Structure formats: C-alpha cells, structure tokens
Amino acid sequence: MCLSRRHFLSLGAGGFAGYALRNNFAFGQDAVKKAKSCIVLWMDGGPSQMDTFDPKPGRPNGGKIKGVESSAKGVIISEHLAKTATMMHKGAIIRSVTTDEQDHGRAGYLMHTGYKPAAAVTHPSFGSITAYETKTAPGIPGYVSVRNSTAFGFNTPGPGFLGPIAAPFVIDKPEKPDEAIRALGDRLKERVDLLEDLNKEFRETRPNDNSDARKAMIEAAKSVKDSPFAKALDIRGEKSETIERYVGANKGTYVGQGQYSGPAEQFGLGCLLARRLVDCGVPFIEVTLGGWDTHANNYNEVKNLCGILDPALHAMLEDLDKAGQLDTTLVVWMGEFGRTPQLNGGTGRDHWPNGYSVALWGGGIGGGRIHGQTDADGVKIAKDPVTVPDLFATMATALGIDPKKRYIDRDAGAVRVTDQGTPISALLT
Amino acid sequence: MRSVLLALAVLAPLAQDPSTRFVPSGQDPNPIDAAMESLWKEQGISPATLCDDADFLRRITLDLVGTIPTADEARAFIESKDADKRTKKIDALIASDAFLDFWSSRLAAALIGFPRDYEYNVNRGGFQKWIRERLADGAGWDAIAQELITAGGTIKDKPETSFIAQFLDFNERGLRLKVEELTGKASSVFLGVRIRCAQCHDHPHDRWTQEDFFGMVAYFQKTDGSGDYNAIGVKTQKKPVKRKFEGWKGELVPKFIGLGAPESENLRLEFAEQLTKHDQFARAFVNRVWACFFGRGIVNPYDDFAPQFKPVAPAALDGLATRFRESKHDLKWLIRTVATSKTYQRSSRATNGQDAALQEKLFARSRVRPLTPDQLWNAIERATNLSKADVDLKAIRRMVGTDPAAMAQSGREMLKRWFFTLMARTSNPDAPAALGTYTANVQMILRALSVDSPLWSGVRPLGGGTLDDLLLYDDQPESVIAKLYLSAVGRRPTEAEVRRCMNHVERRKEELTKNGKERGLEEVFWALINTDEFIFNH
C-alpha cells in the first residue's frame, strides 16, 4: 500500500520525472555513510543558547553560569550539561541558526517542517518525511512522537500533504508508553475474526484495491501486539539502575507499576524509549521536554531543566554508542528558537531568533565540530549564519534523503524536502 | 418482495421535472449514459447492474450531504414502492440545507485549501458562508469564479477576497502577494491546467512555456495586499507592483493561454472573463465534481489535463461540459445530472465473466472508495448516536493530551478534534492523489481496534448510544442485530449474516455469566462499524 501511494505521487509529479532523476543521480554520487534513524529532542518553548550550548562565562549578560570543558578539544558548554559534555567528541554545535519567526506556533512549524507557514499547503514535518522515505517492517511506525505534559502542545505539525501514512505514532504518556497496545485487550483475535468474517462477502463480491489496502493494514495492526515495536514500548522490564541513569534524581508523582509522572520522568523515559525504538527499526523519534519559555527566573529554570536534560541525553548517547548504534543514529537537540542574550527586567530571557544553537550527534555528523559563532555577548552572529532550510538540508543529507527531492502538491507548485537549503558540508562526515 | 422492488427500481425511468430543470433543447435528458454505454460497447464490456436501493441511499446521502441515512430513513426508502423514489430522494437532498453545507465546505476546501493552523490570511468561516450564499442564490460557477478573481477589500468585510489573500505573506518589507502561486492556483482549480510547473523552465512533457506562465501572471501585476496582520485584504494598485520572479527576468505581458491579449486595462476583470470563456473552464469543473462522485476523475489526476493524462471517457466529459456551460454553470444541475445517471447508480459488485478492473476503470462498475474524514465522523456519529451517548471526558482528555485548543472545548468537540488529528485531516482528502484511495497508519487502526476508546461510546450496551436504545425495547438478539445493520450499513442483514452474528453472541453468553448477550452484541456492533461496508462508500 505504501508503495502504491508513493507510485501515485510520483505519477502526480508527471513531467518532473526527468528532472528529479537527474537530481537524484547527482545526489547519489555524493552519498557517503548515512544515519539510519533520527532522534529529535524537542525543547518546547525555545531553549536559552546562552545557558546551554553557547555559554558566555564572565560576560555581564552571561550570568553566573560557568563553562565546562567538553570531550571535544576547545568546545566549552554550560556547566549544567557536564555529563553531556563528555559526549561532545561525537557531536557538533551550530551556534548561528537564524530566522525571523518569533511566535511559538509559527516558529514551531518552521523548526518542524523547515518551511514557514504558507498558503494552500500544509507541509509535512521532517519526521513525516523521514517516515515516508524509509521502508519499515509491517507494524513498525516510521515516526514516533513522545510528548511531555509540560509542553505547550501547539499543533505539533503532522504529515501535511503526505497524508495519514506518514503521521506520527503519538505517545502522550511516556510513563505508560504501551497503553495503546494494552488497550487492544485480550479479545483482539476474536474481535478481528468476527470483523473479517463480516467483511468476507463484501470483499468477495466487490473486488477492489481499497479493501486490499484495508485488509493489509488490519493484518499489520493485529501483528503489532506481539511485534518488536510492542516489546520496545514495554519498558517494565528495564532495570531500575538504567531508569535512574535516564531520569536522574528528581521524582514526580507516583502513577503505579513503579512509574512516576512528571517532566523529568517523562523526558528521561522518552529518551530511554527512543533508544529502544531505534533498536527495533523506527526511523524517526521525537522526544519533547517542555518548560523552556523562560521569560522569568531564567537561571533557575534552565538549571532545573538541564537537570532533566543532562542525564537523559547523556545516558541515551552513551547507550547508543556502546551498542554501536550512534554512528547510524542522528541525534538533534533543538527548539522553536533561542532566547535573548540580554536579560529582561524579571531576570528572564525572551524569544530570540537571531542566532541560536542547535546541537547534533552521531550518524553522518563529524564529531567535535563547531559551526558558526556569535560575538562575545552573543548579540550578533560573528561567523557562518545558518538558515533553518540549511539545517534541514544537513539533517536530510545525514539521513541519506535528497534535500532537493520534489514532492508535488499541486497548488503551491513543487514542494521540496527542504526549502532550498544547502547542507552544511563542514558538519557532515 | 425485495427482488421485485429491485426490478422496479431498475426499470423505473429516471424522470426529471422539466418545468423546474434545465434541459438543453433537442437533447436526451441525461448526457452521460448514452456516451458511457457506447464507450462500454466499444471496449467490449458490459456494465454492472444498477445498485440496490440500500446501496443507492447510502451512496447518495454520503455524496450529497456527507453523512449516512438513519435506520428509519433506510427502512422507509427500502420499503417504498414509489417508482420515482430515487429521483425524488436526489431532489430532496439537493434542496436541503445540508447539501449547501456539505458542498460549500467542499468547494471552500478546493479553493482555499484544507484548514491550516496559521490562517491569518483567509477568513475561512466567512468564505464558506459566502459560497453557501452564492450557491443558495443560484449563482453559476462562472459567476463565483469571476467574483473571486476580481474581489477587493479586507477578508473580514469581503470574505471572498480570501481566495487571493491566501497567497499574501509577510516579509521584512511587509505584505507580499505571491502572484506566481495565485496564478498557479487559479489555473489548476479553474482550468485543470498545472501551468505553475512552467515557472522555472519550459515544461518537458507539457505544452506550456515560461512565457505562457508569465503571460498569465501578468494579469495580477497590479494586484496587491492591503492592511496589516489584523486587517489583511486585497487591492488593485494604479501601477504594476515591483516583483522579482525565480527563473524569469522578462517583461510581464498579459496573454491568456489559448486566448490571447486583454482588451482593457482592467486586468483582473479581463482575466476573469477569459478564464470563464476558456474551453477548459467547464471541463475542469465537471471533471472535479465527477471525481467527487466516482472516486476518480475522467481525467486523472483530476486537476491535471496534461497531454499524458488522457480522459478515459472523452465523449461523456465533453458532452457534460457543453451542457454544463449551457446550464449557465449551474452546480445543482450538474450534480443532479450526475446523480440521476444510470452510470452513477451502477453497483460496485463485479459481474460474472467481466473484467472487474476494466469495468471499474471505465465507470461501468462503482469504485469502492474511502469516506473522507468528515464523512466518516458524521457516519460514526449518526450510526452510534454518539452525540447522545455518554462520553468519558477523562478518557478523552487523556487522549487529547496537552493540546490547549482542545482542552477548552466540550467533550464532543474535543473528541472530534482528536479524531481529525488521528485521521490526518490536514492532508486534503479531496487532493487528487488522495481522493478515492484508502491510506491509514498503525495508530489509526490500533485506535479503531481498541473497543474501550471513547470514539466507540455509542457502541456500548449502556450509556445512551444506539445499542443502549435498542436494548431498552428489544430483548431478542436477532432483531437487535437486524436493527444494528440498518443503523450501521443502511440495510437488513442476510440470514447468513444474522447466523454469524448470533454465533458470536451465543459464544459470549457461554463465556460470561453476566451480560454475555449485551457484550456479544456490543462486539457485533463494533465490528459492523469497522467493516469495509461501513468505512467505504460503495
């Protein structure tokens, strides 16, 4: 079914076939070792670059935050990310991302799709594009989105014009990730048997491709129950030491079965899940951590958030690395935008799209690198500004997806994987 | 009895009332059937029989008003001996408010796209209302097109400006109208010509050149945005607006494809007049409406009349387009003509000895096609009486998660929003690549297979839904099953089907000491709502 739909879209491309072919050919020649999966850690609210990956220790607006030497030569990040610092030899930081969007919703759309909100077309999120471009085993979703109860929850962009086939599999409660599987109950087989029994005559007398697609879909869903995907979602067997490493010291509300609910647990468990999902062949996972909209009390808020982020990110990178999977997994840390280098009256930082940081690790990315630079006070971009389409073109290239590939969505003309971005070759292996 | 009725329906002439209907002089009342029948003859196939009354009623209700018939409507229609009942039903539905609601929303989506999250540049509610009013007034598709192309004012006061305003965007210098996109849209939606493809280079497989494209763009050279983020609108400047175009450095000289240069300085009015005069104008709309009724256009993709996409039934398309033009581009006439045709009323059942795929391709057999998310929501709501059923608010809140817009709404609205997110309603189900083709994902199916989902609140034996109502007055499972079939799929079950369902109910009764019959019936009802017969239009 996936194939026939793709086939249809490519038919829709009609006269562009020749053009696309040339493009793909040129792209294929450049192809090197690529990531097979991608984990995006979505910092909902817009994380402060000055207090995380682009610290300005000693400057008046840099606050009390000290820098910490990382495992990459000359790369200094915030002291609150001390554990993550030990993995920077596997990662890279872009310190010069720039846009003109500073509304959470619009910028969130941009940083999920690589496009600004536009007329007449709803763009697919990058997760949906990855799902659409990657073949998975039956019953394994192409895109899993792990939410966080403290996130704004603004319309996380979905599959857009790629349709339901590329929609994310949403996990609202990371502390009970297999809820959707368990909700199938113990009578699934009997119920599906009855359903298929009632379908029989219809399908026999009215042969058609849509019924075939539906049948295949139900078969796939039925097989999910005992699939590697369902096993990956069932985290009850994880050792408590492992969970401690991801979740850190903070505990939220006890929700039974040894699980707690709260942003720390949700994000930590989300990262643990992401690692397990990569293992079972899910090509794209997004894990959200909310609370980064630090208009007030910035230093304490960021410190607390880093207390959640640091152990989870570090444990995930370390486990992927130990399993030899980091080289084939692209990990990206980002949010809607950054935050003002200058503090506001309430010791907070406001929205700042004019030069903020995105960090990347693993597959396709050269370790220990810094791209772009802000000036001493973080106010201006001093070197190599990077647009959001450039960032998305870099991510796509790392994953072996042609950033210039065209999808056709009739009215807006041809829509590409990215909005004419150029991959940052300095970051790619 | 049933077969007699069926025979009657087959023989019944599809009568029209000439006093109220447009019938072009000296021609057969239905321009579709003769053309299709000679096509089938030429291709050596015979068509499927006409569909039975139950199939007909469900199909026509979905296509005209976007929902399924109630159990009572289905029963009454099947039992009616009126030889004219199909035509009467079509006329009653076309005359209903629900028809205007459904088709104005469908046309609005065709013109300004499906709901997006950032709609500062369209007034969706006002726009749909405007189309609804124009249709109610009897405005033709040509008048509607002309008004959209020439509209001016703010989207608030003149919602029809939304068609142009949807291509307004902000950049550092303020409002900017993307005239290339506007031209591309006007051309694809009104002419079925995807000329935008020629913006960057002459199209390798199509007839259009860059010059053709920018000749069309030139008509909008004085059109501009007005106002600010909060009072956005469209206006015409005295002089051309300075714009740069990707891939084009030439002059902007207005020239309409296939027609030529304008006669006056009023460029948008000239565009509108040439647009509606163009050969493709009626053909494109007829083909679009056809696709909505058949799950596939005569030309496919339905908005791309490129040389490589040949019409499968050219005579029917041309005949219908000519008559549609003569009808003064009357949407109701067109829809009535399609709906009353025998071609539309063919069964989706395969015929012995016939090539089932070829039959379907040539519209000799009805295509089994998915309901749109809107149709499916309406169908579930109606079949299970969901709006009356007790829905577990807490469970819905858990599903909706942290979506703040959803949290503010009532249980039903929240559930609906969740459902549409799940169904990926952001992708236009009417888009050429999606229309008529079923796509799904694992999570959609898992949610459907989970019996305790709040979506199935109306399926439960307690809690105010359809099954609860039936059990109140009826304790015979056989007759409850028959009524569930009427509610869900608009027909009575066959004996074999009753037996299958009863076997299931009996098994549940043996397994459970308490409420076995009710639990069994609940699962039967749930299964019915998930059958192909329910989720497809057939």
Side-chain angles (χ1 to χ4, degrees), chain A residues 265-285:
Chain A
E265 288 69 28
Q266 289 188 324
F267 183 73
L269 294 174
C271 288
L272 174 61
L273 264 179
R275 200 260 292 154
R276 296 173 61 101
L277 290 170
V278 162
D279 206 31
C280 85
V282 176
F284 192 97
I285 305 111

PDB file of all heavy atoms in Angstrom, chain A residues 265-285:
ATOM      1  N   GLU A 265      10.595  12.490  34.576  1.00  0.00           N
ATOM      2  CA  GLU A 265      10.394  11.082  34.273  1.00  0.00           C
ATOM      3  C   GLU A 265       9.974  10.907  32.823  1.00  0.00           C
ATOM      4  O   GLU A 265      10.426  10.022  32.127  1.00  0.00           O
ATOM      5  CB  GLU A 265       9.335  10.481  35.189  1.00  0.00           C
ATOM      6  CG  GLU A 265       9.780  10.301  36.620  1.00  0.00           C
ATOM      7  CD  GLU A 265       9.956  11.627  37.332  1.00  0.00           C
ATOM      8  OE1 GLU A 265       9.279  12.605  36.952  1.00  0.00           O
ATOM      9  OE2 GLU A 265      10.791  11.702  38.240  1.00  0.00           O
ATOM     10  N   GLN A 266       9.059  11.797  32.381  1.00  0.00           N
ATOM     11  CA  GLN A 266       8.554  11.649  31.020  1.00  0.00           C
ATOM     12  C   GLN A 266       9.669  11.810  30.000  1.00  0.00           C
ATOM     13  O   GLN A 266       9.776  11.043  29.057  1.00  0.00           O
ATOM     14  CB  GLN A 266       7.446  12.670  30.759  1.00  0.00           C
ATOM     15  CG  GLN A 266       6.171  12.341  31.519  1.00  0.00           C
ATOM     16  CD  GLN A 266       5.027  13.248  31.116  1.00  0.00           C
ATOM     17  OE1 GLN A 266       5.229  14.419  30.849  1.00  0.00           O
ATOM     18  NE2 GLN A 266       3.839  12.698  31.075  1.00  0.00           N
ATOM     19  N   PHE A 267      10.523  12.800  30.209  1.00  0.00           N
ATOM     20  CA  PHE A 267      11.581  13.019  29.230  1.00  0.00           C
ATOM     21  C   PHE A 267      12.637  11.925  29.317  1.00  0.00           C
ATOM     22  O   PHE A 267      13.078  11.390  28.305  1.00  0.00           O
ATOM     23  CB  PHE A 267      12.215  14.400  29.423  1.00  0.00           C
ATOM     24  CG  PHE A 267      13.261  14.699  28.402  1.00  0.00           C
ATOM     25  CD1 PHE A 267      12.890  14.989  27.095  1.00  0.00           C
ATOM     26  CD2 PHE A 267      14.613  14.666  28.731  1.00  0.00           C
ATOM     27  CE1 PHE A 267      13.864  15.251  26.130  1.00  0.00           C
ATOM     28  CE2 PHE A 267      15.585  14.930  27.765  1.00  0.00           C
ATOM     29  CZ  PHE A 267      15.206  15.221  26.471  1.00  0.00           C
ATOM     30  N   GLY A 268      13.003  11.574  30.556  1.00  0.00           N
ATOM     31  CA  GLY A 268      14.006  10.527  30.732  1.00  0.00           C
ATOM     32  C   GLY A 268      13.537   9.206  30.134  1.00  0.00           C
ATOM     33  O   GLY A 268      14.251   8.550  29.377  1.00  0.00           O
ATOM     34  N   LEU A 269      12.280   8.853  30.447  1.00  0.00           N
ATOM     35  CA  LEU A 269      11.742   7.607  29.896  1.00  0.00           C
ATOM     36  C   LEU A 269      11.596   7.714  28.380  1.00  0.00           C
ATOM     37  O   LEU A 269      11.779   6.736  27.659  1.00  0.00           O
ATOM     38  CB  LEU A 269      10.391   7.266  30.540  1.00  0.00           C
ATOM     39  CG  LEU A 269      10.451   6.924  32.037  1.00  0.00           C
ATOM     40  CD1 LEU A 269       9.041   6.757  32.597  1.00  0.00           C
ATOM     41  CD2 LEU A 269      11.276   5.662  32.267  1.00  0.00           C
ATOM     42  N   GLY A 270      11.274   8.928  27.905  1.00  0.00           N
ATOM     43  CA  GLY A 270      11.163   9.152  26.459  1.00  0.00           C
ATOM     44  C   GLY A 270      12.488   8.874  25.757  1.00  0.00           C
ATOM     45  O   GLY A 270      12.524   8.254  24.697  1.00  0.00           O
ATOM     46  N   CYS A 271      13.586   9.326  26.385  1.00  0.00           N
ATOM     47  CA  CYS A 271      14.906   9.086  25.789  1.00  0.00           C
ATOM     48  C   CYS A 271      15.256   7.597  25.823  1.00  0.00           C
ATOM     49  O   CYS A 271      15.841   7.061  24.879  1.00  0.00           O
ATOM     50  CB  CYS A 271      15.982   9.895  26.501  1.00  0.00           C
ATOM     51  SG  CYS A 271      15.863  11.668  26.127  1.00  0.00           S
ATOM     52  N   LEU A 272      14.865   6.959  26.926  1.00  0.00           N
ATOM     53  CA  LEU A 272      15.076   5.512  27.018  1.00  0.00           C
ATOM     54  C   LEU A 272      14.278   4.799  25.920  1.00  0.00           C
ATOM     55  O   LEU A 272      14.768   3.903  25.233  1.00  0.00           O
ATOM     56  CB  LEU A 272      14.639   5.030  28.411  1.00  0.00           C
ATOM     57  CG  LEU A 272      14.638   3.529  28.682  1.00  0.00           C
ATOM     58  CD1 LEU A 272      16.028   2.939  28.531  1.00  0.00           C
ATOM     59  CD2 LEU A 272      14.110   3.240  30.097  1.00  0.00           C
ATOM     60  N   LEU A 273      13.036   5.245  25.756  1.00  0.00           N
ATOM     61  CA  LEU A 273      12.186   4.687  24.701  1.00  0.00           C
ATOM     62  C   LEU A 273      12.806   4.899  23.331  1.00  0.00           C
ATOM     63  O   LEU A 273      12.806   3.998  22.487  1.00  0.00           O
ATOM     64  CB  LEU A 273      10.835   5.408  24.703  1.00  0.00           C
ATOM     65  CG  LEU A 273       9.679   4.791  25.449  1.00  0.00           C
ATOM     66  CD1 LEU A 273       8.481   5.709  25.308  1.00  0.00           C
ATOM     67  CD2 LEU A 273       9.356   3.408  24.903  1.00  0.00           C
ATOM     68  N   ALA A 274      13.304   6.115  23.107  1.00  0.00           N
ATOM     69  CA  ALA A 274      13.881   6.439  21.807  1.00  0.00           C
ATOM     70  C   ALA A 274      14.999   5.461  21.474  1.00  0.00           C
ATOM     71  O   ALA A 274      15.082   4.953  20.358  1.00  0.00           O
ATOM     72  CB  ALA A 274      14.395   7.878  21.802  1.00  0.00           C
ATOM     73  N   ARG A 275      15.831   5.195  22.474  1.00  0.00           N
ATOM     74  CA  ARG A 275      16.935   4.259  22.260  1.00  0.00           C
ATOM     75  C   ARG A 275      16.383   2.872  21.907  1.00  0.00           C
ATOM     76  O   ARG A 275      16.856   2.216  20.988  1.00  0.00           O
ATOM     77  CB  ARG A 275      17.787   4.208  23.535  1.00  0.00           C
ATOM     78  CG  ARG A 275      19.178   3.679  23.347  1.00  0.00           C
ATOM     79  CD  ARG A 275      19.284   2.229  23.767  1.00  0.00           C
ATOM     80  NE  ARG A 275      19.135   2.073  25.209  1.00  0.00           N
ATOM     81  CZ  ARG A 275      18.692   0.952  25.775  1.00  0.00           C
ATOM     82  NH1 ARG A 275      18.318  -0.068  25.031  1.00  0.00           N
ATOM     83  NH2 ARG A 275      18.574   0.880  27.085  1.00  0.00           N
ATOM     84  N   ARG A 276      15.330   2.450  22.629  1.00  0.00           N
ATOM     85  CA  ARG A 276      14.736   1.130  22.356  1.00  0.00           C
ATOM     86  C   ARG A 276      14.079   1.093  20.980  1.00  0.00           C
ATOM     87  O   ARG A 276      14.087   0.068  20.308  1.00  0.00           O
ATOM     88  CB  ARG A 276      13.702   0.795  23.443  1.00  0.00           C
ATOM     89  CG  ARG A 276      14.296   0.638  24.838  1.00  0.00           C
ATOM     90  CD  ARG A 276      13.201   0.487  25.889  1.00  0.00           C
ATOM     91  NE  ARG A 276      12.375  -0.680  25.668  1.00  0.00           N
ATOM     92  CZ  ARG A 276      12.485  -1.829  26.323  1.00  0.00           C
ATOM     93  NH1 ARG A 276      13.400  -1.961  27.255  1.00  0.00           N
ATOM     94  NH2 ARG A 276      11.678  -2.831  26.051  1.00  0.00           N
ATOM     95  N   LEU A 277      13.475   2.209  20.580  1.00  0.00           N
ATOM     96  CA  LEU A 277      12.773   2.252  19.288  1.00  0.00           C
ATOM     97  C   LEU A 277      13.755   2.230  18.115  1.00  0.00           C
ATOM     98  O   LEU A 277      13.501   1.606  17.093  1.00  0.00           O
ATOM     99  CB  LEU A 277      11.859   3.479  19.221  1.00  0.00           C
ATOM    100  CG  LEU A 277      10.640   3.410  20.149  1.00  0.00           C
ATOM    101  CD1 LEU A 277       9.920   4.753  20.206  1.00  0.00           C
ATOM    102  CD2 LEU A 277       9.670   2.315  19.712  1.00  0.00           C
ATOM    103  N   VAL A 278      14.894   2.915  18.295  1.00  0.00           N
ATOM    104  CA  VAL A 278      15.941   2.843  17.266  1.00  0.00           C
ATOM    105  C   VAL A 278      16.330   1.382  17.080  1.00  0.00           C
ATOM    106  O   VAL A 278      16.485   0.893  15.956  1.00  0.00           O
ATOM    107  CB  VAL A 278      17.167   3.683  17.688  1.00  0.00           C
ATOM    108  CG1 VAL A 278      18.405   3.290  16.888  1.00  0.00           C
ATOM    109  CG2 VAL A 278      16.868   5.163  17.523  1.00  0.00           C
ATOM    110  N   ASP A 279      16.430   0.685  18.188  1.00  0.00           N
ATOM    111  CA  ASP A 279      16.832  -0.702  18.176  1.00  0.00           C
ATOM    112  C   ASP A 279      15.856  -1.582  17.382  1.00  0.00           C
ATOM    113  O   ASP A 279      16.251  -2.560  16.762  1.00  0.00           O
ATOM    114  CB  ASP A 279      16.911  -1.172  19.640  1.00  0.00           C
ATOM    115  CG  ASP A 279      17.876  -2.316  19.794  1.00  0.00           C
ATOM    116  OD1 ASP A 279      18.850  -2.359  19.012  1.00  0.00           O
ATOM    117  OD2 ASP A 279      17.653  -3.148  20.681  1.00  0.00           O
ATOM    118  N   CYS A 280      14.572  -1.244  17.426  1.00  0.00           N
ATOM    119  CA  CYS A 280      13.601  -2.093  16.721  1.00  0.00           C
ATOM    120  C   CYS A 280      13.290  -1.569  15.318  1.00  0.00           C
ATOM    121  O   CYS A 280      12.410  -2.077  14.643  1.00  0.00           O
ATOM    122  CB  CYS A 280      12.332  -2.313  17.555  1.00  0.00           C
ATOM    123  SG  CYS A 280      11.109  -1.027  17.394  1.00  0.00           S
ATOM    124  N   GLY A 281      14.009  -0.543  14.878  1.00  0.00           N
ATOM    125  CA  GLY A 281      13.888  -0.140  13.473  1.00  0.00           C
ATOM    126  C   GLY A 281      12.964   1.022  13.179  1.00  0.00           C
ATOM    127  O   GLY A 281      12.567   1.221  12.041  1.00  0.00           O
ATOM    128  N   VAL A 282      12.600   1.811  14.213  1.00  0.00           N
ATOM    129  CA  VAL A 282      11.801   3.011  13.951  1.00  0.00           C
ATOM    130  C   VAL A 282      12.751   4.106  13.438  1.00  0.00           C
ATOM    131  O   VAL A 282      13.708   4.453  14.120  1.00  0.00           O
ATOM    132  CB  VAL A 282      11.083   3.499  15.234  1.00  0.00           C
ATOM    133  CG1 VAL A 282      10.339   4.809  14.961  1.00  0.00           C
ATOM    134  CG2 VAL A 282      10.117   2.427  15.726  1.00  0.00           C
ATOM    135  N   PRO A 283      12.519   4.647  12.246  1.00  0.00           N
ATOM    136  CA  PRO A 283      13.493   5.582  11.674  1.00  0.00           C
ATOM    137  C   PRO A 283      13.475   6.994  12.269  1.00  0.00           C
ATOM    138  O   PRO A 283      14.445   7.715  12.148  1.00  0.00           O
ATOM    139  CB  PRO A 283      13.131   5.636  10.191  1.00  0.00           C
ATOM    140  CG  PRO A 283      11.734   5.153  10.098  1.00  0.00           C
ATOM    141  CD  PRO A 283      11.496   4.245  11.273  1.00  0.00           C
ATOM    142  N   PHE A 284      12.356   7.417  12.883  1.00  0.00           N
ATOM    143  CA  PHE A 284      12.338   8.779  13.413  1.00  0.00           C
ATOM    144  C   PHE A 284      11.583   8.825  14.733  1.00  0.00           C
ATOM    145  O   PHE A 284      10.449   8.353  14.842  1.00  0.00           O
ATOM    146  CB  PHE A 284      11.674   9.738  12.420  1.00  0.00           C
ATOM    147  CG  PHE A 284      11.873  11.195  12.768  1.00  0.00           C
ATOM    148  CD1 PHE A 284      12.886  11.930  12.173  1.00  0.00           C
ATOM    149  CD2 PHE A 284      11.061  11.826  13.701  1.00  0.00           C
ATOM    150  CE1 PHE A 284      13.093  13.259  12.502  1.00  0.00           C
ATOM    151  CE2 PHE A 284      11.257  13.156  14.048  1.00  0.00           C
ATOM    152  CZ  PHE A 284      12.275  13.881  13.426  1.00  0.00           C
ATOM    153  N   ILE A 285      12.217   9.398  15.746  1.00  0.00           N
ATOM    154  CA  ILE A 285      11.572   9.538  17.054  1.00  0.00           C
ATOM    155  C   ILE A 285      11.781  10.969  17.533  1.00  0.00           C
ATOM    156  O   ILE A 285      12.885  11.504  17.447  1.00  0.00           O
ATOM    157  CB  ILE A 285      12.192   8.579  18.109  1.00  0.00           C
ATOM    158  CG1 ILE A 285      12.133   7.135  17.604  1.00  0.00           C
ATOM    159  CG2 ILE A 285      11.465   8.696  19.441  1.00  0.00           C
ATOM    160  CD1 ILE A 285      13.472   6.543  17.267  1.00  0.00           C
TER     161      ILE A 285
END
